[in-house]
Amino acid sequence: MKVLIVDDEKLIRDVIKEYCIGNKFDVLEAENGIEAIEKANEADIIIMDIMMPKMDGFSAYKKIKEKYNVPTIILSARTEEYDILAGFDLGIDDYITKPFSPKELMARINAVIKRYKGEDDFFVYEKLKVDFLGHCAYIDEKLLPLTPKEYDLLVYFINNKGIALSREQLLNNIWNYDYFGNDRTIDTHIKMLRNNLGEYRDLITTVRGMGYKFEIKKL
């Protein structure tokens, strides 16, 4: 798998490159949007900054999307909601703000690649089974009465195992930015999801001061 790292800061590229190589990825590099367009057809996934010389990340992504279907994660110091909304409206797969955790970035890269490859039709943990194609979940073969949003939350958690997710991230990704409520909506849905998960409710842990995390307990 080839990762195209697009950033005008060499130090940022070097950090990401080191972690990518450590995770068995081949690495391509670009310093601006124009170079990104030229190399996009060689990449399996793109990690791209927004603010770059010659051509910004959003403009480059639009050009790339016209020709290729390459999953793209935006990695940017721009934290305004407007920028994040603009990215998802364009069709990016994830948005991570700087400063960032390289380990979290690698987890998100793997999650995006897995979604694109469609490797798994099911998630299974002990007696818990999630059928991605059937859009449903079971415990000991008994169908769980999940609402559509509860199911979407569960799948998002599974795809981001081990990553601390803020309430804002959950709202943005599950409600697709068209919800104008508050964080209580997330807490309410998490409570209902936990109740439906029964003996597996503790897979969803609370991250104090931030949000939630889906953690598989290792024996």
Side-chain angles (χ1 to χ4, degrees), residues 10-36:
K10 185 178 185 301
L11 178 60
I12 296 292
R13 297 200 310 272
D14 288 345
V15 170
I16 300 173
K17 181 178 180 178
E18 179 180 348
Y19 274 83
C20 284
I21 292 174
N23 282 267
K24 311 299 183 184
F25 289 109
D26 292 329
V27 174
L28 302 168
E29 297 182 57
E31 296 182 1
N32 55 65
I34 293 176
E35 289 184 11

Side-chain angles (χ1 to χ4, degrees), residues 167-185:
R167 290 174 175 82
E168 182 180 9
Q169 283 176 286
L170 294 170
L171 275 173
N172 290 343
N173 285 280
I174 304 304
W175 276 262
N176 297 315
Y177 292 99
D178 58 3
Y179 179 78
F180 297 97
N182 55 43
D183 291 349
R184 293 179 184 174
T185 295

